[in-house]
Amino acid sequence: MGYYPFMENKKTTKKAVTYKKNTLQGMALSLDKKIQDLHDFSKTVSQDIKDDILKIHKAHETFISLLNKVSSKHDMRAALGGIKGYAELILDDYPINSNIFINIIKDVEILLPFIDRIQSKKKRDIHVPIEASHLTGKILMIDDSQEKHDLIKRQLSYTSYTFLSTLSGQKALEIISQYKPDLILLDLMMPDINGFEVLKHLKDNDNTAPIPVLIISSSNETDDVIRALKAGAEDYLPMPLNSVILLTRVNACIQKKRMRDRETHYIRQLNESRLRLEKAIQSIDEGFAIFDGQENIVMFNDKFQTIYRITQNLEKYPLSYENFLRTNVANNRYMIQGPLENISSSVVEKWIETKLALFRQETSHDIMALTQGQWLEIVTNRISGGGTVCLHKDITQRILKEKEDHHKAHYDALTQLANRSYFNIKLKDAMSKADLHHTSLSVLFFDLDGFKAINDTLGHDMGDYILKAVGQTLLKTFRQGDTVARFGGDEFCALVEKVTPRDIETLAKRCMEGIHDIGKRENIDFGVSIGVSFYPQDGISLEAILKAADTAMYKAKHQGKGHYVFFSDIIIK
């Protein structure tokens, strides 16, 4: 058995301390006896259990030594905590013959409150944290004990909090709805609705779930503590309360509530701003997208979705601009240089590299054709804080209008062949290329023989039909890269690059045969006269080449029509 000096009935001038020590006598003896009984018990258990029992003995010896010295209550509590802790561990590992350890734990729990009061001779240091002087808020206490209300209200009386109280759990729900407190002090054991039910109701409601709940209960059962914390309680304080701890926890809960409120406010503002941004983006008639600093798409409107048909979950699977391009290439959405199957991988990679370089500029502008016939104008702008905004504007109608205007300006309305002005542009470009590569080109000038008689006798509709038929015949006769034009009336012209005189002679004969076949098919007597010139042999200017071909054509007509003449032959003769 341990040695307890306070059992000697010594007189002491420390009356309060002697009284408190004497109240420990029976409890200390009871605990001492149970721990001494562990000697016999340890002979029947494993080495692991023996080691834990030895630690209980050492903790008990420390406790006795501290108690005899009237040492710090914190050290005594630590020693008792060691006894209780190892006893609980043994219960978990060795539930057989558990009564002795349960009784040890009970004795420790009875001793602990008296240990807390053993040094009451020292002046209590009531410390009010600095935060209490300026923190404000509404505190609601829910407890069926009026005495407890009065006590806690008095303990918090020197703060700036507004104190609300109710004895009923049911009434508390009404008060919470009306006053929206910043903190709730809640008892667990109440007659109408117990604290667990009130706590569940609060945490199941989105409006009241953020309110911190501090449990203040006479129950110190571990199951109750765990159950309350799991249900969402902020903390659990058992009665009797230490006023300093109470105020500290109240302040901490209020501060945490303030932080949550600010965070909720900022999140709400952020969500509202995002919603406004999304509405603004959706209201844009063109495709709009935002990419972050890592070039991942983070937001886009319905128009953008309609154009590109994005289906993946961007939050789960981020989509970079490069992968965005590659996905659309794989789905054959872009017109790069024709059908995707006919394009080499190197061309595709070069195209993607070019588009990425444009995207990474501070600002960029690009025109892109899609395979479904759309044309897009793509404008990108870098954001100073990181990221890029993109506008994908559908300019299909504009492109079609431009093409239409271009066609009207450069093509003959009746035959759909190039007109005189466009032919001159093409001829000028061809002459420049011929100079650069030291090659030659040829111009063929056509004039229909007997066409005026067709208009006069068969009407202009037949005349138009013949002109269109001649135009199509010439297009079929020349190569795809050659230019065939209608100069007006019954005059046509062709531009052929990189050919020999022999090639031109063959082409001229085929043209005459094709036009003769039209007259034969329609039972109409008409033909064609052709004049041929070469650049640079027959002239070094556009006007000279055209004049040479025109001169040669008139020479062919004077020869009896239905002939072709080279300008060089006229010069030789």
Side-chain angles (χ1 to χ4, degrees):
M1 180 183 290
Y3 171 63
Y4 300 94
F6 58 77
M7 295 167 60
E8 295 180 350
N9 292 325
K10 247 193 215 177
K11 288 188 179 181
T12 176
T13 57
K14 320 266 187 204
K15 234 176 167 178
V17 175
T18 303
Y19 171 76
K20 284 186 169 55
K21 288 168 64 178
N22 285 336
T23 62
L24 295 175
Q25 180 178 345
M27 290 175 290
L29 287 171
S30 174
L31 178 61
D32 185 79
K33 182 177 184 308
K34 292 181 177 67
I35 290 176
Q36 299 309 319
D37 289 344
L38 290 177
H39 285 294
D40 294 335
F41 178 80
S42 63
K43 298 175 182 177
T44 63
V45 295
S46 66
Q47 186 59 47
D48 290 342
I49 302 297
K50 287 180 181 178
D51 291 342
D52 287 342
I53 290 173
L54 181 60
K55 289 171 184 175
I56 290 174
H57 278 291
K58 288 183 178 179
H60 179 245
E61 290 173 1
T62 301
F63 169 68
I64 296 300
S65 174
L66 293 169
L67 185 61
N68 286 336
K69 298 175 184 177
V70 194
S71 297
S72 165
K73 68 177 180 182
H74 301 294
D75 294 337
M76 286 189 276
R77 283 182 64 87
L80 288 174
I83 296 170
K84 181 183 176 185
Y86 283 107
E88 289 172 342
L89 289 174
I90 293 172
L91 279 176
D92 290 339
D93 296 336
Y94 194 78
I96 302 173
N97 295 326
S98 60
N99 286 342
I100 186 170
F101 295 102
I102 291 173
N103 291 330
I104 288 173
I105 292 169
K106 285 181 178 179
D107 280 2
V108 169
E109 290 175 344
I110 293 171
L111 275 166
L112 282 170
F114 288 94
I115 295 299
D116 288 339
R117 296 196 294 272
I118 198 169
Q119 287 181 304
S120 60
K121 63 186 176 75
K122 293 177 67 177
K123 184 179 178 181
R124 251 172 80 188
D125 180 17
I126 304 287
H127 171 64
V128 180
I130 296 173
E131 301 86 11
S133 62
H134 60 79
L135 286 174
T136 60
K138 295 190 290 288
I139 298 176
L140 171 63
M141 182 168 182
I142 310 169
D143 198 300
D144 60 335
S145 168
Q146 185 60 53
E147 291 78 10
K148 191 170 168 184
H149 279 268
D150 296 340
L151 172 63
I152 292 177
K153 185 175 181 180
R154 186 171 176 182
Q155 288 175 316
L156 298 176
S157 62
Y158 46 87
T159 68
S160 299
Y161 297 121
T162 301
F163 196 81
L164 308 172
S165 63
T166 178
L167 301 173
S168 162
Q170 184 63 51
K171 182 66 175 176
L173 300 178
E174 300 174 14
I175 295 174
I176 292 168
S177 175
Q178 182 178 357
Y179 291 100
K180 296 181 176 56
D182 298 294
L183 173 64
I184 295 172
L185 307 180
L186 178 63
D187 184 24
L188 293 179
M189 307 307 170
M190 294 184 292
D192 56 348
I193 300 179
N194 66 40
F196 291 112
E197 293 175 279
V198 173
L199 185 58
K200 184 178 186 307
H201 180 90
L202 293 173
K203 297 306 174 182
D204 287 347
N205 187 316
D206 290 340
N207 293 324
T208 57
I211 303 174
V213 177
L214 185 58
I215 302 296
I216 299 178
S217 178
S218 301
S219 170
N220 60 354
E221 292 293 329
T222 302
D223 289 345
D224 288 342
V225 176
I226 293 172
R227 183 181 171 190
L229 294 176
K230 282 186 175 181
E234 201 72 31
D235 206 344
Y236 192 108
L237 297 179
M239 294 291 288
L241 287 173
N242 179 300
S243 59
V244 175
I245 293 176
L246 170 64
L247 183 58
T248 301
R249 294 305 299 133
V250 166
N251 286 341
C253 288
I254 292 290
Q255 286 178 318
K256 189 176 289 187
K257 173 66 162 49
R258 294 284 181 267
M259 291 177 63
R260 287 174 184 168
D261 288 346
R262 284 195 296 271
E263 187 177 292
T264 301
H265 177 69
Y266 294 148
I267 291 173
R268 186 183 299 112
Q269 284 187 321
L270 184 62
N271 288 336
E272 288 173 356
S273 298
R274 185 181 179 90
L275 285 174
R276 286 195 295 271
L277 177 60
E278 287 178 352
K279 286 181 180 179
I281 289 173
Q282 292 298 347
S283 68
I284 299 173
D285 291 335
E286 312 302 337
F288 185 88
I290 299 176
F291 292 79
D292 63 19
Q294 286 71 49
E295 299 184 355
N296 292 323
I297 189 168
V298 292
M299 188 180 292
F300 56 88
N301 64 1
D302 291 341
K303 184 71 174 180
F304 193 88
Q305 163 69 19
T306 301
I307 295 171
Y308 296 108
R309 301 172 225 161
I310 298 172
T311 57
Q312 73 185 61
N313 184 334
L314 298 182
E315 291 185 2
K316 191 173 182 180
Y317 305 104
L319 181 64
S320 69
Y321 188 70
E322 180 177 350
N323 288 334
F324 168 76
L325 291 173
R326 293 188 181 280
T327 299
N328 287 315
V329 168
N331 292 330
N332 197 27
R333 291 207 177 97
Y334 298 128
M335 283 291 292
I336 299 177
Q337 285 185 358
L340 185 62
E341 59 271 15
N342 298 334
I343 304 172
S344 67
S345 60
S346 61
V347 170
V348 172
E349 289 302 317
K350 182 65 177 176
W351 184 88
I352 291 174
E353 182 181 324
T354 302
K355 299 304 177 185
L356 277 173
L358 277 171
F359 177 81
R360 288 164 181 165
Q361 293 178 5
E362 285 298 316
T363 60
S364 67
H365 180 273
D366 191 20
I367 302 293
M368 193 178 294
L370 303 185
T371 51
Q372 59 264 46
Q374 281 180 290
W375 286 84
L376 299 177
E377 179 181 33
I378 300 173
V379 179
T380 64
N381 284 282
R382 302 285 285 180
I383 304 171
S384 59
T388 304
V389 293
C390 299
L391 184 68
H392 289 231
K393 185 177 182 180
D394 189 336
I395 58 169
T396 305
Q397 294 305 313
R398 191 184 88 190
I399 294 292
L400 293 177
K401 182 66 168 59
E402 288 174 356
K403 286 186 174 183
E404 182 183 352
D405 293 343
H406 180 274
H407 192 84
K408 286 179 179 178
H410 295 89
Y411 288 85
D412 175 62
L414 178 64
T415 62
Q416 302 304 310
L417 299 177
N419 60 20
R420 181 189 291 268
S421 64
Y422 194 38
F423 183 88
N424 288 345
I425 293 171
K426 301 283 279 186
L427 176 56
K428 192 172 184 179
D429 290 342
M431 291 168 65
S432 297
K433 286 191 287 184
D435 292 338
L436 181 65
H437 299 293
H438 305 289
T439 58
S440 64
L441 59 84
S442 178
V443 172
L444 293 83
F445 206 107
F446 302 83
D447 188 88
L448 299 183
D449 301 326
F451 181 73
K452 186 175 182 303
I454 295 173
N455 272 339
D456 292 343
T457 58
L458 300 178
H460 288 284
D461 288 344
M462 177 55 75
D464 289 346
Y465 171 78
I466 294 299
L467 291 174
K468 288 191 284 188
V470 169
Q472 291 302 308
T473 297
L474 294 178
L475 279 177
K476 291 176 183 176
T477 303
F478 288 94
R479 301 170 303 184
Q480 188 173 3
D482 299 334
T483 300
V484 179
R486 181 190 176 204
F487 267 31
D490 60 352
E491 293 180 338
F492 295 83
C493 208
L495 166 63
V496 187
E497 299 179 65
K498 298 179 183 179
V499 288
T500 65
R502 179 172 293 181
D503 295 330
I504 292 298
E505 189 171 0
T506 301
L507 283 170
K509 289 179 179 178
R510 287 173 57 192
C511 289
M512 294 175 66
E513 290 171 1
I515 291 172
H516 176 75
D517 288 343
I518 296 172
K520 187 177 180 181
R521 186 175 65 245
E522 300 298 332
N523 196 23
I524 300 173
D525 183 20
F526 80 99
V528 64
S529 296
I530 307 171
V532 181
S533 64
F534 285 89
Y535 175 82
Q537 296 91 325
D538 299 332
I540 58 173
S541 67
L542 182 145
E543 293 79 9
I545 292 301
L546 288 174
K547 185 171 179 58
D550 184 54
T551 300
M553 183 272 294
Y554 275 106
K555 183 66 176 177
K557 276 190 177 293
H558 291 157
Q559 289 182 358
K561 303 179 181 178
H563 292 81
Y564 64 89
V565 172
F566 283 47
F567 179 76
S568 57
D569 291 342
I570 299 173
I571 299 301
I572 292 171
K573 291 178 181 178

